Amino acid sequence: MASYTALFTPETWALFQEHGSNITGFRERQKKTAERIRPGDLLFCYLVRLSRWCGILEVTSGMSVETAPIFSDPDPFVLRFKVAPRIVLNIEHSVPIFEAALWSQLSLTNNMQVRAFGWAQQANLRTPLKQLSVEDSALLSKTLGEQEKQRKVYPLSATDERRLNGKRSIRTIDREVLVEVPDEEIAAAPSESPDVEQDEARQSHKVQAAIARIGAEMGFRVWIPKGDRQKVQDLLPEGVRAALLDVLPLNYDDTTLRTVEQIDIIWLKNRSMARAFELEHTTAIYSGLLRMADLLALQPNMNIRLHIVAPEEKREKVLREIKRPVFSLLESGPLYENCSYLSYGSIEEIGSIKHLSHMSDSIVAEYEEFAQDA
């Protein structure tokens, strides 16, 4: 018997309960990991945004692919498992991971200060189906079992309430989409000094070079805009520079090509774009999102994976801004369905993996985050 994390938003946890607490699902991009799950395995349920453990489910079936709406319409959680609920707690009874007895004993967190910057990423609690150790599984089983009996109430903080109530959905002709207009306090940000901006620009070039190197080692040809190319090229090993393109081998109209040429990094296979990356080191966050939205508006049927890459401290802002109505109501579908967030730290981790030349770019899926899951 193995144990894994199952991530829920407050919304999907409520829908899971409304539908009988007997079916859970995962996205197509988690298929490789989901195929390892067997009947008898345990899923420990974790509430993102609120950072709480809320239940334990026992898997009772193999994986099936189903599209009937449960968690949204259309429903992206198509890799389905039947489950038997061992413990199901409401939000107010779910146990915060910051509880001293949990934080100090879970191997996920016991080497970090409580609420240390970037703790959730380091604990790998932003990617579903992380396999838990026997010790962590036993500790969570004991803690949640005791809580099921005691039903202690853990009040929501003001920040929790904002995160809980921040999401809104509207119905379009064929689907339900999330929209969010960040409030003034969050949307407004102080301007940064020229020295800070220069430091951030230098850091972004380093990350740009890291993404270029990863793509080149995986066998992709790499596009970098002319304005950045020399600075990035100077940071690359000699062997990697040969993968850089001087001209994009694409057959699009002039407007689309001008948009594509400005994207920070593109990985190409033959004459097709595989992945596009926009780095957001500025406070406003908008430029990369606008360019990705422009690309999808110009080519709504384009099959390309899009990523916004930004420092960890800008994560929440990226995931909020991408749900603005202008991005959620694109003809091709919400931008947040096609464009994910990658932290600078994730790029560093991917870049440190040995033998990248023998790996598929699907490894990126283990690090990316989508706004609807946050």
Side-chain angles (χ1 to χ4, degrees), residues 256-289:
T256 300
L257 276 176
R258 283 198 299 271
T259 300
V260 172
E261 286 173 347
Q262 297 305 312
I263 292 175
D264 288 330
I265 308 110
I266 304 172
W267 292 353
L268 298 97
K269 186 70 73 174
N270 299 321
R271 295 175 60 87
S272 298
M273 294 187 292
R275 294 182 184 270
F277 303 82
E278 273 288 322
L279 273 67
E280 285 288 12
H281 63 274
T282 61
T283 301
I285 301 297
Y286 301 124
S287 61
L289 291 172

Side-chain angles (χ1 to χ4, degrees), residues 161-173:
E161 292 282 3
R162 178 176 62 77
R163 289 174 175 166
L164 189 61
N165 298 321
K167 285 197 171 185
R168 298 289 184 270
S169 62
I170 63 173
R171 187 76 196 178
T172 63
I173 293 175

Side-chain angles (χ1 to χ4, degrees), residues 361-373:
D361 65 313
S362 62
I363 187 68
V364 175
E366 297 184 19
Y367 295 87
E368 65 184 341
E369 293 183 66
F370 286 80
Q372 64 270 44
D373 297 337

Side-chain angles (χ1 to χ4, degrees), residues 190-206:
S191 58
E192 295 178 340
S193 69
D195 288 343
V196 171
E197 290 178 353
Q198 288 179 11
D199 288 343
E200 289 186 338
R202 282 192 289 268
Q203 177 66 10
S204 73
H205 284 134
K206 291 179 182 178

